[in-house]
Amino acid sequence: AEAYQYFAPPTGLGMEYLDLSDLPAAEREPRARELMDQRMRLRIDYATGPLAASTMMRLDTDDHVWSLTIAHIVADGKSLIPVVTDLGAAYNALVAGDEPNLPEPEIRYGDFLAWYAGQDPSRYDEDMDYWTHQLAGVPNFDPPTDFPRPDRKAAPVGEVDRKSVV
């Protein structure tokens, strides 16, 4: 068996809804923090997912706490900056009774691929040389596997020929 990358069809993100408004007022926020902490510490099964979870907690009629937990393999803090920025702008607009007016992204992944494909092929060699130098001396990572590793490494499944990306 070979390792492979699998993209599940988009399913959207469900939201768990928890009503904490029945708790005494002084207990609501600490309970919400406890629940967020529990969700942050959940172990994620990368084979079955989900890789993201959303929870809305109602503390009172007009007081809610939203929690979004995302596996680090999906996004890191820096890549979430535009999400948090747009979410804050949309929230503020809706609270003010306005429609959110979010700008279109300046660049999309397809734009990056097209740019990279149009680069001088020697750039790829420069990148490889850079990382080969940076990672020199780092021991090989040899994770346990179900099957013995082949003598010769195969190309990744679904590898894209850089020159064919337009």
Side-chain angles (χ1 to χ4, degrees), residues 6-155:
Y6 170 75
F7 292 94
T11 58
L13 179 63
M15 178 155 350
E16 176 185 29
Y17 181 79
L18 302 173
D19 190 345
L20 306 179
S21 63
D22 290 339
L23 294 174
E27 294 178 24
R28 295 175 193 165
E29 188 174 327
R31 179 66 178 142
R33 289 181 187 279
E34 180 183 321
L35 290 166
M36 285 190 300
D37 188 55
Q38 286 175 2
R39 278 145 185 78
M40 185 176 66
R41 296 175 192 282
L42 286 176
R43 304 217 29 103
I44 295 173
D45 184 339
Y46 289 101
T48 61
L51 301 180
S54 179
T55 304
M56 179 67 70
M57 292 173 259
R58 179 178 187 230
L59 306 182
D60 208 339
T61 306
D62 61 351
D63 189 6
H64 293 75
V65 175
W66 179 60
S67 169
L68 178 63
T69 307
I70 299 177
H72 203 270
I73 197 169
V74 173
D76 63 4
K78 188 164 185 170
S79 64
L80 286 174
I81 290 172
V83 174
V84 172
T85 301
D86 286 355
L87 184 62
Y91 178 81
N92 288 334
L94 291 170
V95 166
D98 299 327
E99 283 293 315
N101 185 14
L102 302 176
E104 285 295 317
E106 293 179 25
I107 186 170
R108 297 179 188 272
Y109 187 65
D111 299 327
F112 170 76
L113 287 177
W115 169 82
Y116 193 76
Q119 296 300 300
D120 181 349
S122 66
R123 180 180 172 103
Y124 176 76
D125 295 332
E126 290 172 21
D127 289 347
M128 287 299 291
D129 290 344
Y130 172 82
W131 285 108
T132 299
H133 175 73
Q134 291 296 313
L135 298 172
V138 174
N140 285 336
F141 176 60
D142 193 17
T145 60
D146 292 341
F147 303 98
R149 296 180 81 163
D151 293 334
R152 189 169 149 281
K153 184 177 177 182

